[in-house]
Amino acid sequence: MGHLEGKVCLITGAGSGIGLTTAQLFAREGAQVIVADIDRTAAEQAAAGIAATTGLATAVQVDVADAEQSVATAASVVAEFGRIDVLFNNAGIPGVGDVIETDPELFDRVMRVNVRGVFLMSRAVVPHMMAQRSGSIINASSALAIVGVARRVSYAASKGAVLAMTKSMQVDLAPYGVRVNALCPGTVMTPFVERYLKQSYADPEEGMASIRKRQLTRELGQPMDVAQAALFLATDESRFIMASGLVIDGGMTGGR
Ligand SMILES: NC(=O)c1ccc[n+]([C@@H]2O[C@H](COP(=O)([O-])OP(=O)(O)OC[C@H]3O[C@@H](n4cnc5c(N)ncnc54)[C@H](O)[C@@H]3O)[C@@H](O)[C@H]2O)c1
């Protein structure tokens, strides 16, 4: 028996990186996975890959920051599968720049996806979890909500907001048997990081060296490191864990 046998798990941003690896892992653990992404092709390829190999997956295109689309996504999952046991609010975008460099449009874009997206998807799914009187919501925060890193003003603000929102939501939802936790990863090798290395450093190799240096492992994390943490928070084994920010960062924050 897998750890998520029979559970219906909605994962946003599951067309790439951490979300994709988590979708594959959850399916292997017996979940019915809904791969949600703004990139329809990526979502469909991910779901098809899972369905052809290890498990049960369907794809849905959604912009998590769009109110109507978020409600329609939650409704379609409940119409097809009858419930939503796990919502992994994983979709997110990077934002590189200090307070001067960050233009207001970038700031708004990052906050829209990373904060409004978590808020709206949760708002759409929570009524179903409240009615079930069970559920686990996992929000993608970041180690950057805990420690300062240069030139991440918009991104750090968004991930700090996600961590604070997680705690507040948990207080409201505890009476309904719904748990809300956040993941705080350090630097994990995904297409997201490849993009921001190019944006942040004239020489991406130099950027990679400085990231390695700030982690006790001297290595970047892998998507599976975060997926395993998400799996733990998704299962009932973590039933006493609420309103937490689980740090998965190779010692970057704790070892400072
Ligand atoms: N990679 C890291 O080092 C790292 C560290 C800490 C936190 N995180 C967080 O983990 C999450 C996943 O990151 P990743 O590295 O796997 O990124 P990624 O870029 O590989 O994947 C992100 C996915 O989200 C999707 N997406 C973007 N905007 C969307 C929207 N509006 N609606 C729906 N889907 C949307 C993208 O299409 C993409 O498939 C993000 O929230 C990120 O901030 C990543």
Side-chain angles (χ1 to χ4, degrees):
M1 275 275 281
H3 285 93
L4 293 174
E5 212 66 49
K7 298 225 184 213
V8 177
C9 302
L10 171 55
I11 305 177
T12 69
S16 169
I18 292 167
L20 173 60
T21 301
T22 305
Q24 293 163 340
L25 178 64
F26 280 21
R28 271 207 300 283
E29 292 291 343
Q32 168 67 58
V33 174
I34 297 92
V35 175
D37 206 290
I38 197 167
D39 182 339
R40 180 189 292 278
T41 308
E44 284 174 352
Q45 280 174 358
I50 291 168
T53 51
T54 43
L56 303 169
T58 56
V60 56
Q61 183 186 27
V62 62
D63 174 359
V64 293
D66 182 286
E68 278 178 20
Q69 290 181 34
S70 62
V71 170
T73 297
S76 73
V77 174
V78 172
E80 192 169 352
F81 302 109
R83 54 191 296 112
I84 304 176
D85 296 296
V86 176
L87 168 64
F88 183 12
N89 279 313
N90 164 76
I93 59 171
V96 175
D98 66 21
V99 72
I100 308 284
E101 294 167 326
T102 303
D103 70 52
E105 287 70 34
L106 174 65
F107 187 86
D108 289 348
R109 211 161 53 241
V110 171
M111 295 301 274
R112 180 177 183 277
V113 178
N114 295 6
V115 183
R116 181 182 157 92
V118 170
F119 162 67
L120 285 180
M121 285 303 305
S122 301
R123 194 167 192 267
V125 167
V126 157
H128 303 290
M129 289 184 167
M130 286 170 75
Q132 294 162 196
R133 302 196 78 81
S134 69
S136 175
I137 299 176
I138 305 161
N139 294 328
S141 179
S142 166
L144 270 58
I146 303 167
V147 291
V149 166
R151 300 180 64 231
R152 296 286 181 274
V153 163
S154 58
Y155 185 74
S158 74
K159 295 303 182 179
V162 168
L163 189 55
M165 180 163 47
T166 297
K167 295 177 186 182
S168 181
M169 272 174 52
Q170 178 64 93
V171 176
D172 296 330
L173 295 177
Y176 298 93
V178 177
R179 293 186 300 113
V180 191
N181 290 288
L183 297 176
C184 298
T187 313
V188 178
M189 203 55 217
T190 67
F192 175 106
V193 165
E194 284 169 35
R195 275 195 304 276
Y196 94 50
L197 276 171
K198 283 192 198 127
Q199 287 170 16
S200 306
Y201 300 93
D203 175 5
E205 275 309 308
E206 188 190 314
M208 186 69 96
S210 83
I211 290 170
R212 284 213 172 93
K213 205 150 65 178
R214 69 183 186 219
Q215 309 203 159
L216 296 183
T217 53
R218 300 288 178 249
E219 286 300 332
L220 272 67
Q222 293 299 320
M224 188 55 87
D225 296 320
V226 184
Q228 290 287 1
L231 173 62
F232 177 54
L233 291 178
T235 64
D236 300 334
E237 276 96 344
S238 60
R239 65 183 191 90
F240 202 54
I241 301 185
M242 304 171 95
S244 72
L246 180 55
V247 175
I248 314 132
D249 71 348
M252 179 186 126
T253 52
R256 273 205 168 186

